[in-house]
Amino acid sequence: MLLLNSSIAYAMTTSWGIDLVKRISWGFISLKCPEGLCYGTLAVHRMCFSLSLWHIILGFLTMGVVDSRHPRAKLQNGFWLPKFVAWLLLAALSFAIPNGFFEFYSKYVAMAGAAVFLLIQLVLLVDFAYNLAEGCIERWEETEHLLWRNLLIAGTVTMYSAYTAMTIVDYVFFAGDGCGRNQFFITTNMLACIVVSVISVHPRVQEANIKSGLAQAGMVSAYATYLVTSALAGSPPGKPENGEPVCNPWAGLAGARATMAVVGAFFTIGAICYSTTNAAVKGNMLIRSDSEYEALAGDETSSMPMSGQSNAQLRENALRDAVASGALPASALSDIEESGNDSDDERSGVQYNYTYFHVIFCLAAMYVAMLLTNWNSISSEDRVIIIGRSHTAVWVKIVTSWLCLLMYSWSLVAPIVLPDREWS
């Protein structure tokens, strides 16, 4: 749904999409702006707003669902046609909302939600970097196959190569004479990435955190540098006629903007997939239940090794063992015996938190809106909406890159600063 909505929203930024919506709305939505850019940008926010609202509604409706036996569980796993029709209705109704609402929404609500999603992306990126490196190392140690070692080395080299290439591109295109701010951003990021990489292999850090290494540092450095490049490529162009230096020669290149949008969409989809998958894996941590049977199953299965069985199978085995030992009555197995449905792996408990799932997608829709509009600021003067490249967008991405490096740095030094706390 997010991909479909984003594709339609992106079409709204083109003259074809603008004309199509104008015909559908019988000319109700029409603004006098150069090439209809303002109108197209507002259409993007309308489409993404409708998807965010759709997920908010579903998030509330599925709140408190703990297993597939709950009546509202079908709202998550079924009713696809009604949900699709509901999304279409919300999208259509969004075009009847006055433009003033979306001026406010795009400035404050969507930008705030997009910033929150960026923070979630950072947490997931650091978590993914650790898990990926640890996975390769564990498989290398278990199988002694050089493939995993070479994969880890190749990935690290690729990340640092990307970091180096983007840094060179930044200096060549965005750090000309008179562009002191850009030079500061690029140099600060370059030095910070070097410092982080050195810290990751420092003996004290590796002693306290054996999971640290250049693989994670390379991935974080590449992402932070991408954010800097994206910020500089999306910065407002200078005005030579006013004596301002041209610090963004890519400002007039549609291809550069499209490339940044595609790369940004890649990170967005990746973060969404990983966040929902992570939620599924850690479902027992996200969902709190007072059910005695579920608690027992969770306790029993938490100490079991990975045997290739599903969570439902592990819970069933734990319940059968408890009944066999006399800890639970035989009636505890009645639900399992009556169901006879092995395909339902959420009968004993959902695989992920449904509300959390919809919150993530709601924030992702806001982030997509800001991504497609290049974090544009929208203001109204004399009833004419003015949209252009925003310095706010530049600072959002720069600060995000700094936070990314700070969060990863903290994950490295935290075991040293707080040695009595358990870190996992």
Side-chain angles (χ1 to χ4, degrees):
M1 188 67 75
L2 178 67
L3 183 59
L4 175 61
N5 190 90
S6 300
S7 300
I8 297 175
Y10 180 75
M12 297 297 104
T13 63
T14 65
S15 59
W16 175 84
I18 293 171
D19 294 337
L20 177 62
V21 174
K22 185 177 181 179
R23 290 196 301 269
I24 293 175
S25 63
W26 294 286
F28 177 76
I29 306 172
S30 179
L31 296 174
K32 296 181 180 179
C33 298
E35 300 179 359
L37 180 60
C38 302
Y39 170 71
T41 301
L42 287 182
V44 170
H45 284 292
R46 292 176 191 274
M47 290 300 303
C48 293
F49 167 77
S50 64
L51 183 61
S52 293
L53 182 59
W54 187 77
H55 279 293
I56 289 175
I57 294 173
L58 287 178
F60 275 111
L61 292 178
T62 57
M63 185 178 295
V65 175
V66 296
D67 55 53
S68 61
R69 294 171 293 180
H70 197 287
R72 287 184 281 116
K74 295 181 180 179
L75 293 173
Q76 178 73 10
N77 302 316
F79 297 110
W80 300 111
L81 182 59
K83 288 191 293 187
F84 182 75
V85 172
W87 167 71
L88 288 178
L89 290 175
L90 289 174
L93 291 174
S94 68
F95 284 92
I97 300 176
N99 293 325
F101 170 81
F102 288 101
E103 293 181 46
F104 174 85
Y105 174 80
S106 61
K107 274 185 177 180
Y108 303 103
V109 181
M111 185 169 287
V116 172
F117 185 78
L118 270 177
L119 292 178
I120 294 175
Q121 270 191 325
L122 298 183
V123 176
L124 295 175
L125 176 71
V126 174
D127 182 62
F128 176 75
Y130 276 109
N131 289 339
L132 183 62
E134 291 170 23
C136 290
I137 294 175
E138 288 177 0
R139 285 169 176 77
W140 177 28
E141 293 176 346
E142 291 174 0
T143 64
E144 296 183 355
H145 202 295
L146 296 180
L147 171 65
W148 298 106
R149 186 198 67 176
N150 295 336
L151 183 62
L152 185 63
I153 295 175
T156 304
V157 172
T158 300
M159 290 297 103
Y160 276 106
S161 297
Y163 154 74
T164 304
M166 286 186 288
T167 301
I168 294 174
V169 168
D170 291 343
Y171 272 117
V172 171
F173 290 98
F174 307 115
D177 294 336
C179 304
R181 188 188 68 170
N182 289 2
Q183 294 172 1
F184 170 75
F185 289 157
I186 300 169
T187 304
T188 300
N189 178 79
M190 180 185 68
L191 296 177
C193 291
I194 294 175
V195 171
V196 165
S197 300
V198 172
I199 293 176
S200 68
V201 294
H202 192 277
R204 286 200 61 189
V205 171
Q206 296 232 314
E207 180 181 355
N209 183 6
I210 58 175
K211 301 177 182 179
S212 65
L214 289 178
Q216 301 94 320
M219 187 177 300
V220 171
S221 297
Y223 182 69
T225 307
Y226 154 74
L227 288 175
V228 172
T229 303
S230 178
L232 299 180
S235 62
K239 298 180 179 179
E241 62 273 14
N242 296 336
E244 298 179 3
V246 179
C247 298
N248 183 12
W250 293 4
L253 301 178
R257 179 189 173 191
T259 300
M260 290 299 171
V262 170
V263 176
F266 171 79
F267 281 111
T268 302
I269 299 300
I272 291 172
C273 293
Y274 185 72
S275 64
T276 52
T277 302
N278 200 39
V281 173
K282 300 180 180 179
N284 291 334
M285 297 175 60
L286 292 172
I287 303 170
R288 294 290 181 264
S289 174
D290 295 330
S291 171
E292 177 185 3
Y293 297 161
E294 287 183 8
L296 176 62
D299 292 340
E300 293 290 335
T301 57
S302 62
S303 60
M304 290 184 178
M306 295 300 295
S307 59
Q309 293 179 306
S310 66
N311 290 337
Q313 291 174 321
L314 293 175
R315 291 189 184 96
E316 180 179 343
N317 292 339
L319 286 173
R320 292 189 184 281
D321 292 341
V323 171
S325 64
L328 288 176
S331 60
L333 297 175
S334 59
D335 289 337
I336 297 176
E337 294 173 352
E338 290 176 1
S339 65
N341 183 12
D342 295 332
S343 62
D344 187 359
D345 61 350
E346 292 188 326
R347 188 171 181 82
S348 300
V350 295
Q351 298 297 306
Y352 58 93
N353 189 310
Y354 293 163
T355 301
Y356 169 81
F357 173 89
H358 290 292
V359 168
I360 291 294
F361 273 86
C362 173
L363 297 175
M366 296 181 184
Y367 177 71
V368 168
M370 303 311 297
L371 183 68
L372 293 178
T373 60
N374 196 30
W375 295 77
N376 289 327
S377 60
I378 304 178
S379 60
S380 179
E381 297 179 5
D382 299 329
R383 296 184 180 180
V384 177
I385 298 177
I386 302 173
I387 298 177
R389 291 174 178 264
S390 173
H391 288 286
T392 302
V394 175
W395 281 104
V396 166
K397 294 179 181 180
I398 292 296
V399 172
T400 301
S401 70
W402 293 344
L403 288 176
C404 180
L405 293 170
L406 285 174
M407 289 177 60
Y408 177 65
S409 299
W410 173 247
S411 72
L412 294 174
V413 301
I416 299 177
V417 178
L418 302 173
D420 296 332
R421 180 174 177 178
E422 181 180 354
W423 300 93
S424 58

